[in-house]
Amino acid sequence: MLETIRKNGVTLAIFAAITTAATAVINTVTKPTVEHQTQLQQKNLLDQVVPVELYDNNIQQDCYVVTDAALGNSAPHHLFLARKGGQPVAAALETTAPDGYSGAIQMLVGADFQGKVLGVRVIEHHETPGLGDKIELRISDWINSFNGKVVQGPADRAFAVKKDGGDFDQFTGATITPRAVVNATKRTALLMKTLPERLSSLPACGDTNE
């Protein structure tokens, strides 16, 4: 009996070692492909919020970290800077709408430094299917209503949903979700106007413990 148990134990140990080795090899082989696909998806998303004709640098590599309450929480957010001829002209900034109906909504906002919104995309959310999920481009083109809109300042009443006296449509049966997205976009665009003078003090992506 003891000999059988010993043999089974050795067999299991060998099997575990082989499985671990195989997993390590697979991870090593597939890692570059996964990273490449992740980079492509990120670039596609950035192109949707900052038109490629506006800049001539590698926007993915020109990355900084911004921590500011205006972005919805105290977490670090990535800023992807667009430059033309070496001069900053616009950026894509990760931001959070903390007051969605079903929790925080993660977003990417593209804007220039005069308050003009170039594009907005929702990266992650938990809003109600059939109601709040209209913030997704694959379900509705509502998110494109931000394109070209300019935030004049903190007191800009037009940058709100129509129920609050603004220009943006709310959804039938769901006002909380679009209100959260509109407000987060407004706060982010206003913050962007202050960024050119702060760029020299922002840490580059990878230089922090984010």
Side-chain angles (χ1 to χ4, degrees):
M1 175 67 74
L2 289 176
E3 182 64 20
T4 300
I5 293 175
R6 187 183 69 81
K7 289 181 178 180
N8 288 341
V10 171
T11 300
L12 288 173
I14 293 174
F15 178 77
I18 292 174
T19 302
T20 301
T23 301
V25 170
I26 291 172
N27 286 339
T28 300
V29 171
T30 60
K31 184 178 180 180
T33 301
V34 172
E35 290 179 347
H36 179 64
Q37 289 300 318
T38 300
Q39 288 294 311
L40 288 178
Q41 291 173 5
Q42 183 187 68
K43 183 60 167 62
N44 178 58
L45 191 61
L46 290 170
D47 288 348
Q48 293 179 49
V49 299
V50 180
V52 295
E53 61 269 18
L54 294 183
Y55 61 93
D56 54 17
N57 65 317
N58 187 325
I59 191 172
Q60 287 175 284
Q61 293 184 4
D62 215 337
C63 178
Y64 300 86
V65 177
V66 181
T67 303
D68 196 292
L71 299 176
N73 53 37
S74 60
H77 293 76
H78 291 149
L79 168 78
F80 300 93
L81 186 64
R83 300 178 191 263
K84 190 79 167 181
Q87 296 301 312
V89 294
L93 180 56
E94 296 174 347
T95 190
T96 301
D99 48 356
Y101 182 77
S102 299
I105 301 169
Q106 306 303 328
M107 302 160 50
L108 184 68
V109 174
D112 65 16
F113 301 119
Q114 290 75 48
K116 181 180 179 180
V117 179
L118 303 173
V120 180
R121 289 293 180 269
V122 170
I123 301 172
E124 180 184 346
H125 74 90
H126 304 283
E127 301 303 277
T128 307
L131 292 174
D133 63 351
K134 293 184 179 68
I135 56 177
E136 287 187 53
L137 182 61
R138 67 182 182 85
I139 294 175
S140 165
D141 65 354
W142 177 84
I143 201 75
N144 286 330
S145 60
F146 291 101
N147 297 359
K149 294 292 179 65
V150 178
V151 183
Q152 301 296 340
D156 186 352
R157 295 176 61 87
F159 222 92
V161 294
K162 290 181 177 178
K163 189 172 183 179
D164 298 333
D167 292 343
F168 294 89
D169 291 331
Q170 59 263 355
F171 308 147
T172 302
T175 300
I176 293 176
T177 301
R179 178 186 288 135
V181 172
V182 171
N183 289 341
T185 300
K186 179 181 180 180
R187 290 192 299 268
T188 304
L190 288 172
L191 176 63
M192 291 258 230
K193 295 172 73 171
T194 72
L195 289 180
E197 59 197 43
R198 298 172 52 189
L199 281 177
S200 60
S201 64
L202 294 178
C205 296
D207 289 350
T208 64
N209 294 321
E210 26 151 356

